[in-house]
Amino acid sequence: FFSATMNPPVERLIRKFGNDPETIQIERKSLTVDSIEQACFEVRQRSRIELVSRIIDLEQPKLTIIFCNTKRSVDECTEALLSRGYSADRLHGDIAQSMRERVLRLFREGTVEVLVATDVAARGIDIDDIDLVVNYELPQDPEDYVHRIGRTGRAGRTGKAVSFIYGRDAYRIRTIEKFIRQQIPRG
């Protein structure tokens, strides 16, 4: 049995079905991979669409995921990007499973180049060509940060992870830095 995360439900499964199980844990210096270039920018909410547009225009990523904390933020960000001419779509809990699968297929094919999502997409999406991850809003949990940015820099490729912060987010970014055991450069 192998699991990348050990949470109580997984531990219960192991205890129930395991035959004298042993836990093997690999210690790492940091929780993020070196192939992901990280940066954060201090930017007010009203300027975030402008900044994300500039980053996409400068970086020219093949595929981009933008993470927001709420369904409303996902919808607003997606609409703003569509109105600026970007090939974007959304993914959150209010979207039917068949539509989610369609959106992911279009994203995987490159028809949709920017996917705006809640943390529903932070785990379990296995797409190798994601060049850029944007934390439009910082996650509440530092572990979610690791899962979000882990969507890029996969399969021997490099990637970029950009986070937007403002005000109280300065405390949250420090908590994330302590958790991942590395400093995130300010842009």
Side-chain angles (χ1 to χ4, degrees):
F1 184 86
F2 175 81
S3 178
T5 55
M6 289 296 277
N7 54 28
V10 171
E11 289 173 352
R12 281 195 295 276
L13 278 173
I14 292 169
R15 280 196 304 277
K16 184 175 181 180
F17 296 106
N19 185 7
D20 196 22
E22 290 183 37
T23 301
I24 299 170
Q25 196 167 357
I26 300 168
E27 189 176 333
R28 295 172 59 174
K29 289 181 183 170
S30 72
L31 293 173
T32 57
V33 293
D34 294 334
S35 61
I36 303 172
E37 180 187 335
Q38 299 175 66
C40 71
F41 294 88
E42 191 169 333
V43 57
R44 292 178 185 271
Q45 190 70 32
R46 66 177 177 258
S47 302
R48 291 182 182 198
I49 283 295
E50 181 64 33
L51 182 55
V52 82
S53 299
R54 288 183 185 192
I55 290 170
I56 290 171
D57 292 347
L58 285 170
E59 295 292 326
Q60 297 282 304
K62 183 174 180 182
L63 297 175
T64 301
I65 295 185
I66 300 173
F67 285 105
C68 301
N69 291 341
T70 65
K71 298 168 196 171
R72 182 179 177 182
S73 293
V74 166
D75 291 339
E76 289 171 358
C77 181
T78 305
E79 292 304 318
L81 289 168
L82 287 169
S83 71
R84 287 172 174 247
Y86 293 96
S87 170
D89 211 333
R90 68 197 88 207
L91 199 65
H92 58 60
D94 283 356
I95 295 172
Q97 184 63 32
S98 59
M99 188 63 175
R100 282 190 213 182
E101 289 170 9
R102 182 182 162 279
V103 168
L104 280 174
R105 182 177 47 78
L106 292 172
F107 184 60
R108 193 174 278 113
E109 292 169 357
T111 306
V112 169
E113 296 172 345
V114 180
L115 180 65
V116 185
T118 57
D119 283 327
V120 76
R123 302 172 194 231
I125 290 183
D126 192 24
I127 300 171
D128 292 334
D129 295 334
I130 299 168
D131 296 320
L132 176 64
V133 171
V134 177
N135 287 303
Y136 198 76
E137 299 164 316
L138 279 183
Q140 299 296 324
D141 183 1
E143 194 171 322
D144 290 335
Y145 174 87
V146 173
H147 286 286
R148 284 180 178 189
I149 72 165
R151 300 305 96 205
T152 189
R154 298 166 69 92
R157 295 175 50 110
T158 59
K160 192 167 206 163
V162 173
S163 299
F164 295 163
I165 63 170
Y166 189 76
R168 292 183 180 200
D169 290 333
Y171 297 108
R172 228 181 311 157
I173 200 78
R174 281 194 218 108
T175 304
I176 289 168
E177 288 173 330
K178 283 180 190 170
F179 182 75
I180 65 172
R181 297 185 203 115
Q182 70 184 94
Q183 194 165 3
I184 300 168
R186 304 313 190 250

